Amino acid sequence: MQGKRVGVRLFKAFLLCLVVIAIVGIIGGGLFVKRIIDNAPEVTPDDVKPKGFTTFVYADDGKTELERFVASGSNRIYKTLDEIPKDLGNAFVAIEDERFYKHNGIDLQGIIRAGVVGVTHGFHFTEGASTLTQQLIKNNVFPNFVNETNSERFERKIQEQYLALKIEKQMSKKEILEAYMNTINLGQGCLGVQTAAKRYFNKDAADLTLSECAVIAGITQSPSGNDPVKHPDVNARRREK
């Protein structure tokens, strides 16, 4: 009997230690996340809109193009949402952020799905859970994300989510989608959908067919790997999806 009592007491002490460790972990984690959020940059709608555009020089008639200047990171021609086919916006939403019109900047369902898929595939996390709002912020507020360490990437992800919640209160879904489609890297030096439409189909974005819209939206996940010119088979699978 005494042995059983000692065992019960040890078990209770063990459970109590687990509870204390969990509480300390939650508090510590909360303070850690708070520090990351406190270090997040202040952003406004202007900060998340694309910057850097192609410069055109025209003759006196205002129509004849004489010269075109493209600085590094500025191969972009801005188009308003009204000048872009609805199919193209729908294609980006379908392949990148299917709950775009329902979430408030963070897609919790998408985060859980990506986590489950990653765990079931041996902790190999290949599926993203970033919303279009987060991607817009990543490209225009954190342009050096390609050179991040793992710790910097984790910190940036937390800040992205925090800033996405703030931006969604200041911009409409239409404004976010328009800024996104004029920002995104679409391979071969193309920034935004207009330059991509010209590069891959030699036409204005407004004239893209449904299939062509899907081709361009399919590039986003990997601008080099999903290049429709260099890797047509890979892009075709994304287009069909």
Side-chain angles (χ1 to χ4, degrees), residues 113-127:
R113 172 191 50 75
V116 170
V117 171
V119 171
T120 55
H121 286 75
F123 291 90
H124 184 56
F125 298 93
T126 57
E127 291 203 13

Side-chain angles (χ1 to χ4, degrees), residues 24-89:
V24 171
I26 292 172
I27 293 174
L31 292 174
F32 178 65
V33 170
K34 182 179 183 302
R35 182 188 66 78
I36 292 176
I37 290 175
D38 288 342
N39 290 332
E42 289 292 330
V43 297
T44 66
D46 285 340
D47 295 322
V48 302
K49 292 178 180 178
K51 300 171 181 65
F53 302 92
T54 300
T55 300
F56 298 92
V57 178
Y58 294 96
D60 292 340
D61 60 12
K63 297 179 180 179
T64 305
E65 182 183 324
L66 298 179
E67 192 63 77
R68 179 179 300 196
F69 299 100
V70 182
S72 176
S74 65
N75 188 23
R76 176 186 290 113
I77 301 171
Y78 199 94
K79 289 289 182 178
T80 66
L81 203 60
D82 293 335
E83 298 173 303
I84 299 172
K86 289 184 178 179
D87 283 338
L88 186 51

Side-chain angles (χ1 to χ4, degrees), residues 100-121:
F100 173 67
Y101 292 105
K102 298 178 181 178
H103 63 64
N104 61 351
I106 300 175
D107 182 11
L108 294 177
Q109 187 175 335
I111 292 172
I112 294 172
R113 172 191 50 75
V116 170
V117 171
V119 171
T120 55
H121 286 75

